[in-house]
Amino acid sequence: MTVGEMSKRTGVAVSALHYYERMGLITSFRTAGNQRRFPRHMLRRVALVSVAKRLGIPLSDLQEAFADVPLTGTPSHEDWQKASRRWKRVLEQRRQGIERLEKELTGCIGCGCLSMKACTLLNPDDELGDTGAGARRVPLE
Ligand code: FES
């Protein structure tokens, strides 16, 4: 498929398809006339990228989820099953992160101190304390 056909079939802009290709999420090959072509099995990858974007999943996480799916050659059912299991793990980690954030946010809304030492939202595990004393979030001139 040409990049235009791919764009039309997936509803994804040509520039986005090129971006996905640069990120290694999809791949194309060159014809004898040096024209770019996408294998048909890239349609599924682009569809999954679109779903991930809608869910707010970073494309870097998607790279991890696609790690077991070969870019060249048509992926097998088992390849997609592995990707599915990996994706579920990624989603579970995100869900746990959101739950943690929700708990911390609930506490902070009732508190409002924004303490650099105590606030787990502003300075989790006092990360800034490891980099030295004094304010570092405010850019110095
Ligand atoms: S605002 Fe007080 S702990 Fe976060």
Side-chain angles (χ1 to χ4, degrees):
M1 301 174 73
T2 66
V3 69
E5 290 168 338
M6 188 75 155
S7 174
K8 199 171 181 178
R9 285 281 303 269
T10 60
V12 173
V14 169
S15 59
L17 292 172
H18 290 310
Y19 180 66
Y20 298 162
E21 189 171 13
R22 282 195 304 276
M23 288 194 72
L25 294 170
I26 60 174
T27 191
S28 64
F29 61 91
R30 294 281 176 173
T31 64
N34 199 29
Q35 293 181 325
R36 186 190 309 265
R37 293 288 186 268
F38 288 94
R40 287 201 170 274
H41 62 88
M42 289 297 131
L43 286 169
R44 183 183 286 195
R45 279 180 171 259
V46 174
L48 289 171
V49 171
S50 298
V51 169
K53 281 186 68 182
R54 223 176 296 138
L55 294 174
I57 297 171
L59 295 183
S60 54
D61 284 2
L62 205 53
Q63 285 175 315
E64 189 185 328
F66 281 173
D68 292 321
V69 182
L71 267 174
T72 54
T74 305
S76 68
H77 179 72
E78 190 171 319
D79 292 330
W80 284 116
Q81 288 298 311
K82 277 189 208 166
S84 171
R85 286 191 293 272
R86 198 184 270 262
W87 187 325
K88 280 182 186 167
R89 282 196 299 272
V90 169
L91 288 175
E92 177 60 20
Q93 287 168 357
R94 288 182 64 82
R95 189 190 63 75
Q96 289 174 1
I98 289 170
E99 273 184 16
R100 247 190 331 273
L101 184 64
E102 186 181 12
K103 281 181 193 161
E104 292 168 358
L105 184 62
T106 302
C108 285
I109 286 174
C111 175
C113 73
L114 296 175
S115 163
M116 290 298 285
K117 283 194 174 183
C119 184
T120 54
L121 271 184
L122 193 63
N123 186 18
D125 300 323
D126 194 21
E127 287 171 352
L128 295 175
D130 295 340
T131 61
R136 282 163 318 286
R137 286 194 188 269
V138 179
L140 301 174
E141 294 180 43

